[in-house]
Amino acid sequence: MEGGSPLGDFLRARRRSTSLDDVGLAQVGPRRRTPGLRREEVAMLAGISIDYYTRLEQGRERNPSDQVITALVRVFRLGPEAAEHLQQLARQPAYRPRGVGEHDTVHPNVLRIMHGWDIAPSFVVNRRLDVLARNRVADALYEGLEHRDNLLRLALLNPAAQGFYLDWELDTTSKIAHLRATAGRNCDDPFLLELVEELSEKSEFFRHMWAQYDVRARTRAPVRLHHPEVGDVVTTMEVLSIDGSPGQKLVVFQADAGSASERALSVLAGRPPPAARAAQAAATPVAEREDAAATPAAGPEREDAAAPEKQRCAPVSRRGPTGAP
């Protein structure tokens, strides 16, 4: 890393992306050749010495006080997520190696919840956006896409991704910002460093956005996708942290009830649309009454034969609404 530390890299990137207008300073002299603030301007606005700020950027000083961190948050106009990221970089503990795959096993309870969402595509990712598990409809939605086992490789290394993600630039920028935050907290993770190196080598868009050092996340957002068989699918994405498995997140896409997108997801799931299933369920008691009226009263043998059927149907009545997370 250029500055010798993740903290130095972050400060340098934020300084270069902060303009004089952002901090209320007037332009003096000829137009600057490089964008952003100068180190002496940051130091002045933060109320610290230029030497101390220079050492922070160069990685020679890695433990700024809370007062200094607060001042830098103010100068760079950092939002809550970026401010928290700066705090984490400044208080980063010594790296403790983790076993390979330690956080990559999805708990059976999470899998059970995910597979219970019939028409809500969902999957579990780790910090590197590797897809660890997905349900049936998500599998159908992403079917045939190269690199679908990692969301960033899919977005950046598969040319078809720009047709799949209808808001490709917004979605991909958000994923890069997520990885940037992860890299700051896990800068010694060899698998993460390998991913960053691969994407930097193969994607100009990634190199440009990575240098911006944007740190933010989307926990709820509209996501529009295009599937070659069912067309456009418009959903709302929810990203849920799995507290029992640090670093894992459950991503769920939901379409509006009764919408064309919900019908499209039903087709991908291989099931009739919810409205058709509801109509079928409402008609079932009537059909059963008609069958009972046309059939002689059941004797003991018939009651015994019906008992297993009741047992099989019993769990269905305890299930929640289809697709509800």
Side-chain angles (χ1 to χ4, degrees):
M1 296 183 180
E2 183 183 343
S5 73
L7 175 61
D9 289 343
F10 180 82
L11 293 175
R12 184 181 305 100
R14 301 314 302 179
R15 174 170 62 83
R16 291 173 177 172
S17 64
T18 304
S19 69
L20 290 172
D21 290 340
D22 290 335
V23 296
L25 294 180
Q27 175 75 45
V28 179
R31 185 177 180 84
R32 298 183 178 186
R33 296 181 180 179
T34 57
L37 300 176
R38 293 170 176 154
R39 285 174 176 166
E40 57 266 29
E41 292 166 340
V42 174
M44 177 193 68
L45 292 168
I48 57 179
S49 71
I50 175 62
D51 178 66
Y52 182 77
Y53 179 76
T54 300
R55 284 189 282 121
L56 282 174
E57 271 201 13
Q58 293 177 345
R60 294 185 288 124
E61 172 60 56
R62 306 191 183 201
N63 297 288
S65 67
D66 290 339
Q67 290 81 0
V68 169
I69 293 174
T70 300
L72 293 173
V73 167
R74 173 178 49 79
V75 171
F76 294 136
R77 302 162 60 94
L78 301 182
E81 292 169 344
E84 181 182 0
H85 182 69
L86 174 59
Q87 181 77 28
Q88 291 171 341
L89 292 177
R91 303 289 180 262
Q92 188 165 292
Y95 174 70
R96 283 175 280 188
R98 297 190 299 265
V100 176
E102 179 180 339
H103 298 310
D104 289 352
T105 300
V106 181
H107 195 279
N109 288 344
V110 176
L111 294 174
R112 189 176 302 113
I113 293 171
M114 185 174 65
H115 289 300
W117 295 334
D118 297 327
I119 59 169
S122 58
F123 49 82
V124 177
V125 295
N126 61 13
R127 291 185 174 94
R128 299 182 299 273
L129 297 181
D130 295 326
V131 178
L132 307 180
R134 57 172 67 88
N135 66 2
R136 177 180 176 181
V137 65
D139 196 51
L141 185 60
Y142 285 79
E143 184 177 6
L145 290 171
E146 186 181 8
H147 301 302
R148 68 179 191 151
D149 289 337
N150 179 276
L151 297 182
L152 267 173
R153 285 193 179 100
L154 168 62
L156 292 163
L157 305 184
N158 184 347
Q162 297 196 30
F164 177 69
Y165 295 105
L166 295 179
D167 302 296
W168 177 85
E169 184 171 345
L170 173 64
D171 291 340
T172 304
T173 299
S174 176
K175 293 180 178 74
I176 295 173
H178 164 87
L179 193 72
R180 180 49 109 171
T182 297
R185 294 190 297 268
N186 303 272
C187 61
D188 293 325
D189 180 348
F191 299 105
L192 189 147
L193 296 177
E194 180 182 346
L195 176 63
V196 171
E197 182 178 353
E198 176 188 5
L199 296 176
S200 298
E201 178 182 343
K202 297 180 179 179
S203 171
E204 181 179 353
F205 183 82
F206 179 84
R207 288 196 300 274
H208 173 73
M209 296 308 303
W210 191 251
Q212 301 300 310
Y213 222 120
D214 189 15
V215 179
R216 59 186 171 84
R218 290 192 302 169
T219 57
R220 177 182 295 120
V223 173
R224 304 187 307 138
L225 308 169
H226 178 82
H227 190 276
E229 294 181 9
V230 300
D232 293 354
V233 179
V234 180
T235 69
T236 298
M237 176 188 68
E238 297 281 349
V239 181
L240 311 173
S241 295
I242 304 175
D243 292 343
S245 301
Q248 290 187 10
K249 294 185 181 295
L250 176 59
V251 183
V252 189
F253 299 108
Q254 296 184 89
D256 289 341
S259 65
S261 294
E262 186 187 56
R263 293 192 291 273
L265 292 174
S266 295
V267 171
L268 290 178
R271 303 191 61 192
R277 295 202 303 273
Q280 183 180 9
T284 299
V286 176
E288 289 178 352
R289 287 196 296 270
E290 291 176 350
D291 290 343
T295 304
E301 292 182 0
R302 182 173 178 82
E303 292 177 359
D304 292 343
E309 184 65 25
K310 294 180 180 178
Q311 294 173 3
R312 289 195 296 272
C313 293
V316 177
S317 65
R318 293 196 295 267
R319 290 181 59 188
T322 299

